[in-house]
Amino acid sequence: MGDALNTSHTDTSIDSTLASTLHSKKGSTADEHLSIVTFLNEIKATSFGAVSAETPAQKRALSYANTILVLFTQVMEKKQPADRVVGEYFRVNKKHGSKDRRVIRESLFALFRWWGWLNKFLTHTGNGTSTVNTGTQAWFAMLTLNARLESHSWEPFIAAWTGFSGQEKVLSLDADTPLETVSAKCDWLTSQFPALSFTTDDLVPEWFWQTCPIQDAEQRLAIIEILSSRPPIWARVQNIDTSEAIEKLAKLDITATASEYFSDSISLGHKSINLNGMSLYRDGELEIQDLGSQVVGQICNPAADDNWWDTCSGAGGKSLQLRSLMLAKNKQARGTIIASDVRRKPLEELAKRAKRAGFKGITASPWKSDDLPVPHHHFDGVLVDAPCSCTGTWRRNPDMRWIDGIAAVQDKPDLQLDILSRSSQAVKNGGALVYATCSLSPLENEDVVNAFLAKHADFTLEITSHPFTGVEACMHLVVPYQADTDGMFVARMKRKC
């Protein structure tokens, strides 16, 4: 019933043939990951001692290369989120200026974006006649290619990495060779390194296609194209008119544009922003929330005086959105939201955000056991934004596609179905039950909803409109290329009266 991707998978479980195939690949994937980590650690051990850096640019490029290698290895070896790793690094190492931080951060995240191609250079970098002789040279070749693929602007450092790699000829890029699409980049790599094989499908792990079986070649390419691009920063305004918010941001030299889809949504572009330095943010008039995530609140569509339960609220982005939508309908809205999570810290953060926005009517009730932390048959609406593999957020977190494995998808459906089933008990007769994930896999989306409906005859699907495509359907997959967003899934159900 999803209306965005052609998926042939409608069962509530993987068929036995596919399951056995996936199981057989787990070992080889683990071995491959171990080999990559071993290779990276071997390069680290050299400390680039044999590299001759003479000019200031070369010395800085060498320092960057070492730092990026340390951070990249930590992410891959410890399987820690890249944003957390680099954030902690900058917190401890305050010596870096803004340009240093930009080179390090953008190079690191780009490595994960293009790793499906770059990892081919771990054991062999050549054009048929020339081969990189050391792991150190391979690393510099990867950094150079990474910068070329990403169109980075720090040319002196790119030139230094190119020289260190010993591959100046094949790593050079003519000015009249634009690399504007993934296909063009793939063709360029193929022409420069004919001894290696490159396909656009390489840019996501094989298990992604196994859990998200997209049959249409154009759709597959469109997915890869968008996953290989940096997403914009989307925000939502509250307690203020959108045009007024855009004017205030303009005075801070921040170019914001209104969304064509939701009246309270704006794009802040791609540049890093110091939120705490913005009065709009400090005063609770601006909340960072991806446009794809905002779709969920729009499908919930709470009435001004509704009572809603956000069952897996995290730090409460969607709880705040629900309250904002209520107030947009009636400034005296008496509706309430109860936010629940198994973790207390996110709920404490939600309380701070609600206070900043001046929102009343939002309270927290943490999960303490399997029993509901709220009354049964009580709410006009219940939102289950379930824990998931987060494959829809791979644009923002490209590292996840390489540090996660197929288990990130396979392990979730049972938990998701359990949370959805228990949470449904809180919906009153005639009330709404909304299920959402930020996954692109039908295993976590349509299959979970269908499995729930098969056991709960008192719930039925409701037809809603996809905000980006206009398609009327019972379940919606928000695909990142539709509106330059994260990927999301949402389905709205109703409990019979």
Side-chain angles (χ1 to χ4, degrees):
M1 297 184 184
D3 50 53
L5 294 183
N6 293 329
T7 57
S8 58
H9 197 20
T10 56
D11 249 336
T12 57
S13 62
I14 301 177
D15 65 62
S16 58
T17 302
L18 179 56
S20 63
T21 301
L22 300 184
H23 179 76
S24 69
K25 292 182 179 294
K26 287 183 180 179
S28 61
T29 301
D31 292 342
E32 181 180 313
H33 186 84
L34 179 61
S35 176
I36 291 171
V37 170
T38 300
F39 176 86
L40 293 170
N41 278 315
E42 287 175 352
I43 302 174
K44 274 177 58 182
T46 69
S47 299
F48 303 123
V51 179
S52 176
E54 299 177 354
T55 69
Q58 288 175 335
K59 291 176 181 178
R60 287 184 68 185
L62 189 60
S63 175
Y64 289 147
N66 184 65
T67 299
I68 296 164
L69 174 62
V70 170
L71 297 174
F72 187 80
T73 304
Q74 183 177 344
V75 173
M76 295 294 278
E77 184 173 22
K78 306 295 185 182
K79 297 190 175 182
Q80 297 174 339
D83 58 348
R84 186 181 307 166
V85 168
V86 75
E88 177 63 15
Y89 173 80
F90 288 141
R91 186 187 70 80
V92 174
N93 296 274
K94 301 185 185 300
K95 62 182 180 180
H96 295 296
S98 59
K99 184 173 183 178
D100 295 332
R101 291 195 299 270
R102 183 186 173 202
V103 172
I104 293 168
R105 173 183 284 275
E106 292 191 16
S107 296
L108 178 67
F109 279 86
L111 279 170
F112 292 109
R113 223 173 340 263
W114 306 109
W115 188 242
W117 287 339
L118 298 178
N119 66 23
K120 298 176 186 294
F121 295 86
L122 290 176
T123 56
H124 173 74
T125 301
N127 63 352
T129 60
S130 177
T131 304
V132 163
N133 296 316
T134 69
T136 300
Q137 286 180 307
W139 180 246
F140 289 122
M142 289 185 219
L143 289 177
T144 302
L145 289 170
N146 187 53
R148 296 299 184 205
L149 294 169
E150 199 75 5
S151 298
H152 282 155
S153 60
W154 33 87
E155 198 59 43
F157 309 135
I158 299 172
W161 291 334
T162 304
F164 296 152
S165 74
Q167 293 282 293
E168 291 91 337
K169 183 176 180 180
V170 293
L171 294 177
S172 62
L173 179 66
D174 295 334
D176 58 352
T177 306
L179 301 181
E180 296 179 354
T181 67
V182 166
S183 295
K185 292 170 182 177
C186 188
D187 291 342
W188 177 69
L189 284 174
T190 300
S191 67
Q192 299 301 97
F193 303 95
L196 299 178
S197 173
F198 300 94
T199 70
T200 53
D201 277 5
D202 293 336
L203 293 175
V204 294
E206 185 179 352
W207 63 261
F208 174 77
W209 302 119
Q210 296 162 357
T211 59
C212 188
I214 304 170
Q215 308 303 327
D216 184 84
E218 289 187 6
Q219 286 185 333
R220 285 171 74 102
L221 183 57
I223 281 283
I224 294 166
E225 187 77 59
I226 198 70
L227 289 180
S228 302
S229 66
R230 292 178 59 199
I233 301 172
W234 286 103
R236 186 176 48 75
V237 300
Q238 50 195 28
N239 300 330
I240 188 175
D241 185 74
T242 301
S243 58
E244 183 180 352
I246 292 175
E247 289 178 6
K248 286 187 175 183
L249 290 167
K251 294 178 181 178
L252 299 174
D253 291 326
I254 298 173
T255 302
T257 55
S259 164
E260 63 180 289
Y261 300 105
F262 307 137
S263 60
D264 59 348
S265 301
I266 58 175
S267 170
L268 302 179
H270 294 82
K271 295 182 180 179
S272 298
I273 296 174
N274 178 15
L275 289 174
N276 291 321
M278 296 167 49
S279 60
L280 274 174
Y281 180 76
R282 295 195 305 269
D283 296 339
E285 296 174 330
L286 184 77
E287 282 288 343
I288 301 301
Q289 185 180 12
D290 185 78
L291 190 67
S293 174
Q294 294 181 43
V295 168
V296 177
Q298 296 288 340
I299 294 294
C300 288
N301 191 25
D305 298 331
D306 273 356
N307 297 312
W308 275 76
W309 178 33
D310 186 356
T311 69
C312 305
S313 68
K318 295 182 180 68
S319 291
L320 294 168
Q321 183 191 12
L322 292 175
R323 184 58 183 158
S324 182
L325 290 171
M326 291 176 179
L327 291 169
K329 294 177 180 179
N330 184 344
K331 292 184 178 181
Q332 306 302 319
R334 294 175 298 172
T336 64
I337 296 124
I338 294 181
S340 298
D341 203 278
V342 295
R343 304 157 297 168
R344 290 187 176 272
K345 283 191 176 181
L347 293 177
E348 293 171 0
E349 180 62 23
L350 167 58
K352 295 177 184 177
R353 296 169 75 183
K355 181 179 180 181
R356 190 167 63 224
F359 284 172
K360 298 179 180 179
I362 300 178
T363 57
S365 182
W367 288 90
K368 297 179 180 179
S369 67
D370 287 346
D371 296 330
L372 295 190
V374 296
H376 287 56
H377 299 280
H378 175 75
F379 294 93
D380 300 290
V382 169
L383 168 60
V384 180
D385 185 15
C388 68
S389 64
C390 301
T391 51
T393 68
W394 277 3
R395 293 181 74 195
R396 296 185 193 283
N397 307 291
D399 52 305
M400 291 180 61
R401 68 187 81 172
W402 307 116
I403 63 177
D404 279 343
I406 195 168
V409 174
Q410 290 179 322
D411 291 349
K412 297 301 188 299
D414 287 345
L415 173 63
Q416 292 160 338
L417 179 58
D418 179 62
I419 295 173
L420 181 59
S421 298
R422 281 191 283 135
S423 300
S424 70
Q425 301 173 73
V427 183
K428 71 181 185 182
N429 291 343
L433 175 63
V434 178
Y435 176 74
T437 76
C438 56
S439 170
L440 297 175
S441 174
L443 298 176
E444 301 179 81
N445 298 335
E446 293 92 340
D447 291 2
V448 171
V449 173
N450 288 332
F452 170 80
L453 292 172
K455 295 180 179 179
H456 297 83
D458 52 334
F459 283 89
T460 58
L461 282 165
E462 290 192 307
I463 295 177
T464 52
S465 177
H466 192 300
F468 302 152
T469 67
V471 172
E472 300 281 329
C474 296
M475 306 188 206
H476 299 292
L477 188 63
V478 175
V479 190
Y481 59 69
Q482 292 169 335
D484 204 9
T485 68
D486 287 344
M488 292 292 299
F489 171 85
V490 61
R492 180 182 170 110
M493 294 164 275
K494 181 178 181 180
R495 189 168 207 161
K496 298 176 182 177
C497 296

